[in-house]
Amino acid sequence: TVTATPSTSGTITLNSSQDLLSYTKIGDRVFVSGSLLVGSVSSPVGAINLTTLPYTAASLAERAGNSIAVVNIQAPVSGNIAEYSAWLSQTTNNTISIYTSESGAQPANAAHLLQTDAQIWISLNYVTAS
């Protein structure tokens, strides 16, 4: 079960009928995928942070534990659905952070582009610490 929060302020509530992602663990590699449905938002500002991954990301030398996710947001307030990027930093362990290139500067905020019934599609694989 995933929790979505803006990194700066406001709230993002996922619809309880679509707030689960699936995962498979093979050795020390975890594969996560699925789609989430936004139930409501209240003045969200910052990156979109998705938490509650099934395993903690490994903290490896030279940041080798960092991973990038494929993300697609359907029905945003505005912007192109292809302008989002997401990653899992080994320093944040269990948080996928979603940003947009909307402003031309990386990383720009993405939370303000969410609205009720927007869908977040995601696919990620990462190295786990256990």
Side-chain angles (χ1 to χ4, degrees):
T1 302
V2 176
T3 302
T5 56
S7 64
T8 303
S9 63
T11 61
I12 301 168
T13 303
L14 297 176
N15 187 313
S16 61
S17 70
Q18 197 172 336
D19 63 353
L20 299 176
L21 295 176
S22 66
Y23 75 90
T24 300
K25 183 174 184 284
I26 302 172
D28 64 354
R29 181 69 59 175
V30 180
F31 300 85
V32 179
S33 63
S35 65
L36 306 166
L37 181 63
V38 176
S40 65
V41 296
S42 178
S43 305
V45 177
I48 303 164
N49 288 330
L50 305 178
T51 57
T52 320
L53 289 173
Y55 296 92
T56 300
S59 181
L60 304 175
E62 299 183 23
R63 298 185 183 193
N66 290 348
S67 295
I68 194 153
V70 176
V71 66
N72 180 289
I73 297 181
Q74 296 287 323
V77 171
S78 65
N80 187 323
I81 60 173
E83 294 178 345
Y84 296 93
S85 60
W87 57 81
L88 172 66
S89 171
Q90 68 181 35
T91 59
T92 58
N93 292 329
N94 286 350
T95 302
I96 301 168
S97 297
I98 302 173
Y99 297 91
T100 181
S101 58
E102 172 193 59
S103 69
Q106 285 284 30
N109 298 327
H112 72 284
L113 295 174
L114 288 182
Q115 63 182 343
T116 300
D117 293 332
Q119 288 188 312
I120 303 169
W121 295 72
I122 192 155
S123 178
L124 164 74
N125 75 77
Y126 66 99
V127 178
T128 181
S130 56

